[in-house]
Amino acid sequence: MSKCLERIYNGLVKENPTFVLMLGMCPTLAVTTSAVNGIGMGLSTTAVLIMSNMLISMLRKIIPDSVRMPAFIVVVASFVTIVDFLLEGFVPSLYDSLGLYIPLIVVNCIILGRAESYASKNPVLPSIFDGIGMGLGFTVGLTCIGIVRELIGAGQIFGMQVMPEFYEPLTIFILAPGAFFVLACLVALQNKVKNNYAKKEREVPQTAGCGEGCAACASRGICGGHMISDISVSFEVDQPEDTASNNGGTENKKEQEGV
Amino acid sequence: MNENYNVSSSPHIRDRIKSSNLMLMVVIGLLPATLFGIWNFRHENAWILVVVTTAAAVLSEYIYEKLMHKPITINDFSAVVTGLLLALNLPPTLPWWMGALGAVFAIIVVKQLFGGLGQNFMNPALAARCFLLICFAGRMTYFVYDGVTGPTPLAELKAGEAVNTMDMLIGNIRGTIGETSVIAIMIGAMFLILMGVIDLRIPGSYIVSFVVFIVIFGGHGFDPQYITAHLCGGGLMLGAWFMATDYVTSPITSSGKIIYGVCMGLLTGLFRLFGGSAEGVSYAIIISNLLVPLIEKITLPKPFGKGGEK
């Protein structure tokens, strides 16, 4: 069970898809004009992520390696279609405001990334919890961005007026440029917090060959995210278990950049 | 030993002009337009906005550099220029805190986050103006003159109404604080040209290409009245002489300057004639600012002896 909790912690904090892995930037920037949209998008993605992780993990021994990507896409697309119809049927207002971004969950880097790097290599239960963790991490990220943008750009949170009457909202924050400002500030903030935390730990030795899992590496505060390029060592060193999945995620990010 | 044989690293040509002298001269060049604007909009108390915006720019530069433990550079007047230019680009009725917010945005986001003076990728004052324009679209396009609200002459021109070109030349019209009087702007620009601060290539090619565009696509043919109205209306003159010529965000090669000017002329014409709003100078300039690295890349001069016939 501790492994399952570890997956959730990993998704929420250590490898938060929005603030650490920087995956799924398209919906992150586009739909977070309000907190409700952020939560809606995050939960829809979470639902798809859990189901697809589960199914892909079940099918991992059946799917041939050479056609795994199309197979993953088919699985993900089926679940996205279900979520799409459910949203249209039960929450039409959210469906309208999310619009095109619901079908686009199919090509969301997080889902393909987790399928490729985790679910296709691990048993069912941890995969489900990996989906939950990553999905919740994504939801938290989107909701945070949504809250900040809605607060500054419209003076509201979850549709409720919180700013005093005389406040004139900075409309730019609910338009596209605002998404970049808010994302950048929040990422900077969490890096700052993490760096302070890492500095307090002080126990991480500055060894050569840290691999490339900078995002999840606790000693990033010391090396400043610069990979120590001692190649002869870096690939031989015993990595902590989820560096492998992290590398997979990074590769997937590169593959998905066109999306 | 003859001093001609001294070997040292670049720069080899030195001058007594420093950034602070240069920026001070730009401030002096802006003074006629500023003073006229303050007098012109005295009923709207434009001076408060000018003072607050400029002070906010200087103060935010000071505070940022203090907090980041960087050398304090407020003595080089570049923050004053940014603040003043921003104020001249704001409508006189804008609440003072919006001007201050714009100044903070200009200095911290556009200038300091990219590395301070010399590193900003677009004109801070114009970027801040566009920021405010998107944030407070209503306030930023609300123009009052002598207590009467109405459209700017440029908007009237776009709507096909007749405008008084003489008033536009002198500046007794609605508009932003510093853009109304072409005469005041030209006095300042003349000073800068005589002092050798600005290069005629950028404003020259900007204005000429804009006029050509207006003649071809304006629908009035070569109508001096129409062309003059377009030249004197809006922020074209202020933009061409004071903001397009910003050293940091304009190309350094001679041919690049002309391409840059033509770019701005075409974009301004495009935005004014076919765009949704009447004015397009600020967007034209900041878009051209973004093109500057590319322009410099294609106009890089060949070193002597390179690239000959093979």
Side-chain angles (χ1 to χ4, degrees), chain A residues 52-145:
Chain A
S52 70
N53 260 12
M54 183 184 76
L55 199 65
I56 287 168
S57 174
M58 284 172 178
L59 298 175
R60 71 185 186 277
K61 303 232 167 77
I62 304 170
I63 298 173
D65 217 27
S66 49
V67 291
R68 64 184 197 285
M69 273 296 164
F72 294 165
I73 294 268
V74 171
V75 170
V76 176
S78 327
F79 287 116
V80 169
T81 314
I82 297 172
V83 167
D84 192 39
F85 284 140
L86 285 177
L87 285 181
E88 191 176 5
F90 290 101
V91 270
S93 62
L94 184 66
Y95 179 80
D96 286 339
S97 59
L98 294 182
L100 183 65
Y101 292 98
I102 293 289
L104 276 179
I105 296 179
V106 176
V107 286
N108 192 315
C109 328
I110 302 171
I111 295 178
L112 282 181
R114 294 328 287 176
E116 169 79 6
S117 66
Y118 198 86
S120 63
K121 297 180 184 106
N122 288 285
V124 178
L125 199 60
S127 296
I128 292 177
F129 276 91
D130 183 70
I132 297 176
M134 279 287 158
L136 288 183
F138 189 58
T139 312
V140 168
L142 257 61
T143 313
C144 286
I145 298 177

Side-chain angles (χ1 to χ4, degrees), chain B residues 106-125:
Chain B
I107 294 294
I108 292 184
V109 177
V110 187
K111 188 177 165 195
Q112 293 294 354
L113 285 187
F114 286 87
L117 182 64
Q119 309 290 329
N120 45 299
F121 66 112
M122 59 166 68
N123 192 315

Side-chain angles (χ1 to χ4, degrees), chain B residues 266-281:
Chain B
L266 295 183
L267 285 174
T268 308
L270 203 65
F271 292 152
R272 279 198 183 176
L273 294 181
F274 305 111
S277 68
E279 180 58 300
V281 171

Side-chain angles (χ1 to χ4, degrees), chain B residues 14-229:
Chain B
R14 289 159 192 274
D15 200 359
R16 284 166 58 202
I17 296 180
K18 293 180 288 189
S19 335
S20 54
N21 302 137
L22 218 56
M23 290 296 169
L24 190 61
M25 279 197 265
V26 176
V27 172
I28 295 172
L30 282 170
L31 276 184
T34 314
L35 294 177
F36 181 85
I38 290 174
W39 174 81
N40 195 28
F41 296 108
R42 58 196 179 282
H43 302 300
E44 284 79 29
N45 284 330
W47 67 272
I48 298 178
L49 188 59
V50 174
V51 170
V52 168
T53 309
T54 314
V58 177
L59 207 64
S60 53
E61 175 141 310
Y62 178 79
I63 292 173
Y64 179 89
E65 284 171 341
K66 197 85 186 164
L67 287 180
M68 294 290 148
H69 308 294
K70 287 183 169 182
I72 307 290
T73 58
I74 55 170
N75 289 330
D76 67 9
F77 287 99
S78 61
V80 177
V81 171
T82 300
L84 195 56
L85 272 176
L86 174 63
L88 296 187
N89 274 295
L90 299 175
T93 50
L94 201 74
W96 61 268
W97 64 268
M98 288 186 186
L101 181 74
V104 171
F105 179 85
I107 294 294
I108 292 184
V109 177
V110 187
K111 188 177 165 195
Q112 293 294 354
L113 285 187
F114 286 87
L117 182 64
Q119 309 290 329
N120 45 299
F121 66 112
M122 59 166 68
N123 192 315
L126 281 181
R129 181 195 135 92
C130 294
F131 172 80
L132 292 176
L133 197 61
I134 297 172
C135 274
F136 313 108
R139 295 265 196 186
M140 285 293 287
T141 50
Y142 176 75
F143 293 108
V144 173
Y145 181 65
D146 263 349
V148 184
T149 312
T152 58
L154 209 58
E156 290 173 341
L157 197 67
K158 193 178 170 88
E161 291 164 32
V163 290
N164 186 339
T165 326
M166 201 59 208
D167 275 353
M168 293 171 78
L169 209 59
I170 298 170
N172 304 319
I173 49 167
R174 294 184 194 93
T176 67
I177 295 174
E179 75 181 10
T180 55
S181 171
V182 176
I183 293 177
I185 293 170
M186 286 311 294
I187 294 172
M190 280 298 170
F191 169 76
L192 291 187
I193 294 168
L194 290 179
M195 298 303 285
V197 175
I198 57 180
D199 187 346
L200 269 177
R201 285 191 191 91
I202 293 172
S205 56
Y206 184 0
I207 292 169
V208 169
S209 58
F210 176 70
V211 168
V212 170
F213 190 92
I214 290 288
V215 168
I216 298 175
F217 296 103
H220 286 68
F222 191 78
D223 175 2
Q225 164 94 25
Y226 183 72
I227 293 171
T228 319

